[in-house]
Amino acid sequence: MRAKLQKFTDFTLTLLPHEVSYLLSIQQFQDKDRLNILKRIAHNIEQGNTFIEYDTTLNKRKYSNLKNWIVERLQTLDVDVQFEWMTELEKAIMTDCITPEDEKQLLKAIRNYDEPIFYFQKFYELALSYRHFLIIRMRYSDHKLVNDFIINNKKNYEQSKRINEKLHEITVDVVNQYRNTNIETKKWERWLTKIFYDEKLDGQNRYLALIRLIFMAFNYRHFEPLRKHFDDLDKYFEQGKYYSKRLLLNYYGNRLLLHTKSEELDKAVYYGYLSIRGKNNEYIHYINNLSAVLQRQSKYQAALELMRSAFSEMKATQNYHDKIGFVAFYANALNNTKQYRSAEQYCASFLNAYKENVFKYRWHIFFTVYLESLLHQKKYTTIQKVVSKNQLLQHDKNYQQKASYLPTITWYAYAASLREISFSKHEFKTLILEFTESVIHNKNKKQQLIELLKTIQPHIPEVIQLVRPKLYDLGIRI
């Protein structure tokens, strides 16, 4: 039996903290009951708060009216809803079926325009289409209004287009750098920061600039400058500026990444769960990142349950970067719960179906988890076959220039070879010590190295025994 007010409760659980915070800041309720309900919503949707039931003695119309008010206010504010409105209007204009009411709204929006809206380019292009529509119908007064808007904002539009093109050029460099191409992108950091903070520009370009800064931070493993950017963006959202649920979810997902890299894992999980309150094109990406943090906190069962709840979305997505990441994180959770055989079978089946895409997008993380499942089962011969068949040592050699590189795959392969008496333990000792000395001053990579050594230790105890004294000298205990 459904609890009373269950439908309303389900609705409130789709709301996000910034949405409710904004609504509280603009409400002017004379009815104290409505205000108290809104305050209770704010309490209940915060991660970690004990849920407080809604008062069932109140008239249900109060809940219905408040829900309608919330939906109406957020839709009015939502830049993506505005974009959809502009798209529909443009279609109606081009097909000569725009209604008088729609025209009144459009003319009012043009007349009252006083600052760059989020989708300024789209709005300007809508005005261009409408100008054609008006002049051929000899509607001189409305045409003058629209034409004046176009003339007055022409320079802003051209600037916005140039910035957008430049952003694409920078994005090509940033993505190629991520894909292992030797490209320097720090030269763009100052320009991107300037764009993000230029309040005279449209919100779309400003937000795109921030996303590129985030991408660059991951390429260089340097995240601290992002903290101020995120805090400033947080203030925009609190004011209802540049709001859409999609952008908020993206913001939460990116804050997870920032706090993860700063070792603030509880904060990362907080934002991670917020990022999956809505399902959009990035949903699997957010699921993957949250799962990764949960596993870093040793919450392996929670990670498994989270990912199992998203199987249908994972299968449906055409984003193979996210799909392969999902498979890797899921198999990793299976490894961490000692379900090694299940992890092996899952990876083998996926590789058989999507081998080309695995190598095109995320081969390193995929094979790291796959080989680990085999290593735990002591299937050393199988490891050698997988490594040889897929030329993993050559791929790994080419991958070494990545800032995040660890010799995980190579060492798994060597551990298997050592057990098969085809690789010298002294050669392995040299490789371990050389790599250790190269990363000893990198706190993050040093910790990852320790985890890697702990993983392979049971399989190469004689090598670990040889390197342990030197590791101790370097401050590493395993």
Side-chain angles (χ1 to χ4, degrees):
M1 182 177 179
R2 286 174 63 84
K4 292 182 178 179
L5 297 175
Q6 187 63 52
K7 190 174 181 179
F8 178 79
T9 301
D10 291 342
F11 163 73
T12 64
L13 293 178
T14 68
L15 297 175
L16 303 170
H18 281 82
E19 292 175 331
V20 180
S21 177
Y22 170 75
L23 293 171
L24 281 168
S25 74
I26 65 165
Q27 63 78 28
Q28 295 180 331
F29 296 147
Q30 300 300 314
D31 185 344
K32 290 185 178 179
D33 288 337
R34 294 180 73 185
L35 178 56
N36 288 334
I37 295 169
L38 188 58
K39 288 180 177 179
R40 184 159 295 187
I41 292 173
H43 170 87
N44 285 341
I45 66 172
E46 275 291 347
Q47 293 288 335
N49 282 355
T50 301
F51 185 87
I52 301 176
E53 297 288 343
Y54 294 99
D55 188 350
T56 57
T57 64
L58 295 177
N59 189 318
K60 288 185 178 180
R61 289 182 181 177
K62 291 182 183 287
Y63 290 101
S64 178
N65 290 338
L66 180 61
K67 177 183 175 181
N68 292 337
W69 180 83
I70 290 172
V71 171
E72 180 183 336
R73 289 298 181 276
L74 292 180
Q75 284 187 341
T76 300
L77 196 67
D78 193 324
V79 297
D80 288 344
V81 171
Q82 294 167 15
F83 182 84
E84 291 173 8
W85 172 73
M86 288 185 281
T87 301
E88 289 300 315
L89 274 188
E90 187 173 44
K91 178 182 177 182
I93 290 168
M94 299 303 291
T95 55
D96 295 335
C97 61
I98 186 170
T99 67
E101 183 58 36
D102 284 337
E103 286 199 72
K104 287 180 182 179
Q105 291 184 26
L106 178 54
L107 289 166
K108 181 180 179 181
I110 293 173
R111 186 179 298 110
N112 295 336
Y113 185 89
D114 62 355
E115 63 177 28
I117 62 175
F118 192 87
Y119 291 113
F120 165 69
Q121 287 185 45
K122 184 66 178 177
F123 189 64
Y124 189 89
E125 289 161 3
L126 173 62
L128 289 174
S129 297
Y130 192 42
R131 183 173 63 172
H132 282 292
F133 179 89
L134 293 170
I135 191 61
I136 198 67
R137 289 163 176 78
M138 294 177 285
R139 290 173 53 183
Y140 304 121
S141 178
D142 291 338
H143 176 269
K144 183 179 185 308
L145 172 67
V146 177
N147 192 58
D148 287 347
F149 168 83
I150 290 171
I151 293 172
N152 292 337
N153 288 278
K154 183 177 181 180
K155 288 184 179 179
N156 292 335
Y157 175 72
E158 291 173 346
Q159 179 191 33
S160 182
K161 293 282 285 184
R162 286 195 302 270
I163 289 172
N164 199 266
E165 281 296 316
K166 190 70 173 179
L167 284 167
H168 181 264
E169 176 187 338
I170 293 171
T171 306
V172 172
D173 281 357
V174 172
V175 171
N176 282 337
Q177 183 184 31
Y178 172 80
R179 294 178 63 189
N180 225 7
T181 303
N182 188 21
I183 290 178
E184 171 62 50
T185 60
K186 271 195 174 295
K187 61 186 177 182
W188 302 121
E189 185 174 7
R190 180 176 295 181
W191 185 84
L192 289 168
T193 302
K194 179 182 177 182
I195 295 301
F196 174 62
Y197 282 105
D198 190 343
E199 296 190 356
K200 295 180 181 180
L201 297 176
D202 58 284
Q204 184 182 24
N205 275 331
R206 294 179 66 190
Y207 197 79
L208 289 176
L210 176 61
I211 297 301
R212 274 70 186 159
L213 286 168
I214 294 169
F215 216 128
M216 285 173 57
F218 274 84
N219 284 348
Y220 286 104
R221 293 298 189 266
H222 184 53
F223 305 95
E224 200 53 36
L226 292 178
R227 193 174 295 272
K228 182 181 185 305
H229 302 336
F230 281 143
D231 289 345
D232 290 336
L233 181 61
D234 193 276
K235 294 173 185 176
Y236 285 134
F237 285 137
E238 283 185 348
Q239 297 164 6
K241 194 171 185 180
Y242 300 154
Y243 159 78
S244 81
K245 191 176 287 287
R246 173 184 65 86
L247 292 174
L248 261 182
L249 295 175
N250 184 254
Y251 164 70
Y252 295 144
N254 284 317
R255 284 219 77 132
L256 172 146
L257 299 175
L258 172 66
H259 293 299
T260 299
K261 297 305 178 182
S262 301
E263 296 298 324
E264 300 166 339
L265 299 187
D266 287 340
K267 286 185 178 180
V269 169
Y270 167 80
Y271 284 108
Y273 275 112
L274 288 179
S275 73
I276 61 171
R277 282 200 184 169
K279 294 182 180 180
N280 57 25
N281 193 49
E282 301 294 317
Y283 181 68
I284 293 302
H285 177 68
Y286 302 149
I287 287 283
N288 290 346
N289 291 336
L290 177 54
S291 172
V293 179
L294 290 171
Q295 293 187 61
R296 286 186 62 176
Q297 291 186 310
S298 301
K299 296 177 181 178
Y300 306 124
Q301 196 58 43
L304 278 175
E305 292 172 5
L306 172 72
M307 303 194 82
R308 284 169 176 160
S309 71
F311 269 146
S312 59
E313 288 80 8
M314 183 276 287
K315 292 176 180 177
T317 184
Q318 294 302 304
N319 185 324
Y320 280 94
H321 185 276
D322 289 342
K323 189 188 290 281
I324 295 162
F326 183 98
V327 171
F329 287 121
Y330 180 67
N332 192 59
L334 291 173
N335 282 339
N336 283 321
T337 52
K338 302 187 186 307
Q339 301 178 65
Y340 308 124
R341 178 61 176 161
S342 294
E344 175 196 352
Q345 292 176 332
Y346 194 65
C347 288
S349 175
F350 189 84
L351 181 63
N352 184 57
Y354 300 104
K355 182 175 179 177
E356 181 179 347
N357 286 311
V358 167
F359 278 102
K360 185 176 181 180
Y361 294 100
R362 305 191 76 176
W363 69 271
H364 194 272
I365 188 174
F366 177 86
F367 281 104
T368 293
V369 177
Y370 185 14
L371 294 182
E372 184 177 335
S373 71
L374 296 170
L375 192 67
H376 283 301
Q377 297 177 80
K378 299 183 179 180
K379 293 186 175 182
Y380 305 122
T381 301
T382 305
I383 290 175
Q384 288 185 298
K385 289 180 179 178
V386 171
V387 169
S388 176
K389 180 179 180 180
N390 295 286
Q391 299 179 316
L392 295 185
L393 294 183
Q394 183 58 47
H395 283 292
D396 201 53
K397 184 177 180 180
N398 297 334
Y399 196 74
Q400 289 179 14
Q401 60 184 296
K402 291 273 288 186
S404 59
Y405 175 76
L406 279 177
T408 309
I409 287 176
T410 296
W411 287 9
Y412 284 173
Y414 288 165
S417 297
L418 187 65
R419 296 275 61 85
E420 296 295 310
I421 321 297
S422 62
F423 190 73
S424 164
K425 63 183 180 182
H426 293 287
E427 290 181 73
F428 206 166
K429 168 192 171 183
T430 300
L431 289 173
I432 290 175
L433 293 180
E434 285 179 352
F435 186 81
T436 301
E437 290 175 349
S438 72
V439 301
I440 197 63
H441 298 299
N442 184 321
K443 182 179 178 181
N444 185 49
K445 292 190 74 170
K446 177 182 175 182
Q447 185 56 44
Q448 291 176 319
L449 174 64
I450 291 172
E451 296 301 319
L452 173 56
L453 289 169
K454 287 180 179 179
T455 300
I456 64 174
Q457 181 178 5
H459 307 279
I460 55 167
E462 64 273 47
V463 177
I464 297 299
Q465 192 63 31
L466 287 173
V467 300
R468 183 171 276 117
K470 182 61 176 179
L471 292 179
Y472 280 6
D473 291 342
L474 295 171
I476 291 179
R477 303 288 188 272
I478 57 171

